[in-house]
Amino acid sequence: MSTPSGGRAATDPVSPEEPESNGRAGYEFVESLLLGPRTWTRSEVARLAGVGTEHTARIWRALGFPAVADEDPAFTDADVEALRAGERLIQAGVITAESETMMARALAHHLSRLAEWQVHTLAAQITADGGDRVEESALTLLPELELLQRHVWRRHLAAHAARTLPQEKASPDSGREDSRSSQVKPAGEFPVLRRAVGFTDMVGYTRMTRGLDGPELARMIDRFEELTTSAIAEGRGRVVKTIGDEVLFVADTADDAAGIALEIASRTEADPALPRLRTGLAHGAVLNRFGDVYGSTVNTAARLTALARPGTTLVDTELAAELAHLADYTLRRLRPVSVRGYKRLRPVLLRPTGGRKG
C-alpha cells in the first residue's frame, strides 16, 4: 500500500445519505488501509501520472466509478501509480491507448463482483464480532483475502500460459489438438480461435424460484455451480461465466466438450437437489476478448440449449462432424428448425454409447 509523500489533508464531507457513524468510520479506515488517504484532484493526479485529464476521466468511467468534481480531492497515490503502470504497458507495446480503456472496463467487470463478495464476507465477520472490531478485522482479514486472490490469479495465469505460450520441448503426440496452434486469424488485438462452446442451464428455473426463499435459492444455485464447474474443470474445459441459472464454458476440442456435457447430465440425474439440466454445444471460430467469448458459434450454442429437452444435449453439425469418428458417442440428426437468427438450424442429439460413463 502506498501512502502520500506530501500534500494537503484529504477532505471527505459527509453527505445527507451517509451520516457519521461507526459504519462510516469503518468505511474510511478500510479505504485508507487499501488505498491511502484521498489527496489529489483529477487534474493533479493526471499531472503526477503524466497523462491528460480527459484520459484519467475516461479510465475512471471505464472502471465503473461516478464522475468526480474537478476540485474534489478524491484520488490517492495508489491511483497515480495505477495510471503510471498503464502508461508503462502502453510504452512496452503490451496494450494500446485504445485497449487500455477496454482493459480497465474488463478488469472492473470481473473484480467488482469479487470485491462485493469479499466486503460482504468482511461485514459478516465484523457483525459476528459485535460490530466494534472493524479495524482489527480489516487488518487481519484483508491481507489474507489479498494473498489468496493473488495466488489463485497466478495459478490461472500459469494454466493459461501453458495452453498459449510455446513449450521448450514438444510433447509426444497424444492425438489431441494443440490449442496453441488453433488460432484462425487476429481480429484487431484479440485472437479468433477454434473452440467448442457450451451452454448449460436449469430447466424450469423461473417457475421453481417462485416457491423458494432466499436461503433455498442460494443453496440450489451453489449446488448448480458446484456440479457444473467441477465437471467442466475435470473435463479440461474452462468456465467463461455463470449467469443466474446458466453457465457458459469453452473447451479446446469437441471431444472434451461432449464429455463435459454428458458428465453434467449424468451427475444431475443422480442429484435430487437439482432440476433437470440441458446443454447446447457448437464448434467453430470464437472471438476471445478479455476472458469472454463472442461470435456465431456462441450464438448457435445458446440457441441449441433453448431447443434441448430436459436432460439432453444438442450439438451443431460442425461439432457432430468432429465426433463422428469416435466410438464414445451416438449422434442422431434431428429435423431442421427455425429460431431467431437461424432459418434452418440443424440440431444433432448427442448421447453416450453403452460403454461410456454419462
Side-chain angles (χ1 to χ4, degrees):
M1 181 185 74
S2 60
T3 56
S5 57
R8 64 181 166 280
T11 59
D12 190 9
V14 178
S15 68
E17 293 76 22
E18 294 180 309
E20 288 196 75
S21 65
N22 289 337
R24 178 67 174 172
Y27 150 71
E28 290 176 338
F29 176 81
V30 170
E31 182 186 84
S32 180
L33 177 66
L34 293 171
L35 301 172
R38 300 185 185 190
T39 306
W40 312 111
T41 65
R42 187 160 67 94
S43 60
E44 288 170 339
V45 81
R47 174 178 55 80
L48 290 167
V51 300
T53 55
E54 287 305 314
H55 176 86
T56 62
R58 185 169 63 252
I59 296 297
W60 188 251
R61 287 193 301 270
L63 290 173
F65 300 121
V68 175
D70 291 341
E71 69 279 4
D72 186 4
F75 301 98
T76 72
D77 282 1
D79 295 307
V80 176
E81 289 304 316
L83 285 168
R84 288 173 177 168
E87 288 302 296
R88 289 193 294 269
L89 290 175
I90 293 173
Q91 292 168 8
V94 177
I95 60 175
T96 65
E98 179 186 36
S99 65
E100 182 186 24
T101 303
M102 292 185 285
M103 180 183 71
R105 190 179 300 114
L107 285 171
H109 173 73
H110 294 289
L111 293 179
S112 65
R113 297 173 62 190
L114 179 63
E116 181 180 16
W117 167 76
Q118 290 172 336
V119 167
H120 281 298
T121 301
L122 179 63
Q125 181 63 42
I126 292 170
T127 301
D129 290 341
D132 56 355
R133 299 171 58 188
V134 176
E135 296 186 9
E136 181 181 345
S137 296
L139 286 168
T140 302
L141 297 177
L142 288 176
E144 299 296 344
L145 288 171
E146 185 176 19
L147 186 152
L148 178 62
Q149 180 175 307
R150 184 172 65 248
H151 175 73
V152 174
W153 170 68
R154 289 187 175 189
R155 270 290 179 186
H156 278 286
L157 207 60
H160 281 282
R163 298 187 191 103
T164 307
L165 301 180
Q167 296 182 1
E168 292 183 6
K169 296 181 180 179
S171 59
D173 183 16
S174 62
R176 292 175 52 80
E177 176 186 355
D178 185 351
S179 63
R180 293 165 297 162
S181 61
S182 59
Q183 181 165 323
V184 178
K185 60 180 179 179
E189 297 181 21
F190 304 103
V192 176
L193 309 171
R194 296 198 69 79
R195 291 288 185 267
V197 178
F199 277 96
T200 297
D201 73 5
M202 288 188 276
V203 180
Y205 173 80
T206 301
R207 182 182 66 256
M208 184 181 310
T209 56
R210 296 192 189 115
L212 297 178
D213 59 22
E216 290 175 326
L217 178 59
R219 283 193 293 271
M220 185 180 71
I221 293 174
D222 286 344
R223 184 64 193 126
F224 168 71
E225 292 185 356
E226 179 185 0
L227 185 149
T228 54
T229 57
S230 62
I232 292 165
E234 292 167 17
R236 297 181 293 270
R238 296 182 294 286
V239 175
V240 177
K241 57 187 173 183
T242 57
I243 315 166
D245 65 328
E246 189 172 64
V247 60
L248 168 61
F249 66 92
V250 295
D252 291 341
T253 70
D255 187 15
D256 285 344
I260 289 168
L262 295 177
E263 182 64 21
I264 287 173
S266 176
R267 294 186 187 187
T268 306
E269 288 288 339
D271 193 333
L274 279 177
R276 304 290 295 278
L277 304 185
R278 58 186 178 181
T279 299
L281 301 175
H283 187 273
V286 176
L287 172 65
N288 193 317
R289 181 179 181 272
F290 291 123
D292 209 339
V293 290
Y294 303 87
S296 61
T297 304
V298 181
N299 297 336
T300 300
R303 300 293 181 270
L304 289 168
T305 304
L307 292 172
R309 293 181 180 275
T312 67
T313 299
L314 293 181
V315 306
D316 72 342
T317 53
E318 182 169 334
L319 192 138
E322 294 283 323
L323 300 178
H325 67 289
L326 300 176
D328 286 338
Y329 308 108
T330 297
L331 299 161
R332 182 163 69 89
R333 293 180 181 273
L334 306 180
R335 61 181 180 82
V337 294
S338 177
V339 296
R340 182 164 57 90
Y342 299 86
K343 290 184 178 180
R344 288 179 64 81
L345 182 62
R346 300 176 182 273
V348 180
L349 180 64
L350 172 70
R351 287 175 174 159
T353 57
R356 179 179 178 122
K357 179 184 176 183

